Amino acid sequence: QPYNMAERGSIAAEEAPAEDVFALDEDGRIPFEGKVPLLTAPKAVSSVLNAVPESLTSNDDLLHDLKLAMSAREVEDGGQYSLGDTFWQPANSSDPPGHGLEALALAIFKHYAKDVSYDPEKSGAEWWTQVIDCRDDIGVHFDRDYGMEDYGLNVHPHVATVTYFSDTGAPTIVVPHVSGQSYGEDYSGSADSAHFSFPSAGKHLAFDGRYIHAASGDLKPPEHKGLRRTFLCNVWLNHEPMNSEPMPDEYNHQMKYKKVSMEGLDFSSAQGPTVVDASGPNTDPFSMKFVMDDHHGTFTLPVSGPALLSAAAGKGNLVELTFGDKKVEIVKGEEVVEGEDEESDDDDDEVSLGSKDTDEEDEEEVG
């Protein structure tokens, strides 16, 4: 469906995206020519164990850079991190990547875009990092171009990916549920299953960029301690997210891992999920509360937290939990009242640090 940006815009014309008419296909994606295997496969979530070799996941310089990239996004707001500010690695850059993280982003983009025709002027990889206490949460959210909200549109990446640089922390939970195309419309819905991916250093997870996802520290295995390190990279075809910019020079100069060849990466042998029946008594469903589009929301898995952990942990590289006749429920609730305490806001905050009231300390410090 074509959208006339001049008619929809509420921001200055000079800040508008390059497209005069912005088009989304029937699936709510930015159109492209060719095939992205992840989007056409029966399962739109896949993982690759040890896509990144151990020599990189344990490299002190690269671990330093993961944390530095996160600190570049820090805002003075009670330990919160901005979801809107990400880094952009263009597909058509005439300059080589400036450091290893940019090289990794470009390698991920090239893998998923290799059989696609796209406009290199508008395509590339959006990337950022998370280095958090393994007890902390990644709030429930959709990845999208948050700048397009001013035009009333939900625009999602074609592929979302997570590359893990640690063995600890909460599993990534991906649910095959998508939002509508108009910003602010009711995103409530249900799904038959949920995908669980536990951190494992070197593992690479990829999924349809429209899917809702999260990570709850309440579901981390009890023996896990230390830091949860991830490299997040979204593949965009024919569109550059408005709030994503190349890393500023002041941080580029501080990056320590300068090798940009990234030898040893292998994203080719994708594996679908192991399906596990997690149906059982619906006595204590596991819920996450969040704030999205200025409304409260709830994300509910139909069995208890311990039952989820028992069903998913140790069952494979990627696990798809099914729940019999029960559903995963996503509900858009009441509008947020100005001044009330917001637990999670996908528009502004992705991680709430120091949220667990325990005396446990990180075993290690990076950077």
Side-chain angles (χ1 to χ4, degrees), residues 156-216:
H156 305 279
H158 292 84
V159 180
T161 74
V162 183
T163 304
Y164 301 92
F165 280 80
S166 68
D167 298 317
T168 57
T172 305
I173 306 171
V174 181
V175 172
H177 172 71
V178 302
S179 68
Q181 294 185 14
S182 296
Y183 174 71
E185 71 176 272
D186 190 359
Y187 52 75
S188 301
S190 62
D192 294 326
S193 64
H195 294 80
F196 277 61
S197 172
F198 284 88
S200 177
K203 183 166 75 171
H204 175 77
L205 171 72
F207 53 95
D208 188 320
R210 302 171 302 160
Y211 285 177
I212 198 167
H213 52 288
S216 171

Side-chain angles (χ1 to χ4, degrees), residues 311-322:
K315 301 296 173 56
N317 191 24
L318 176 68
V319 177
E320 180 181 9
L321 298 184
T322 60

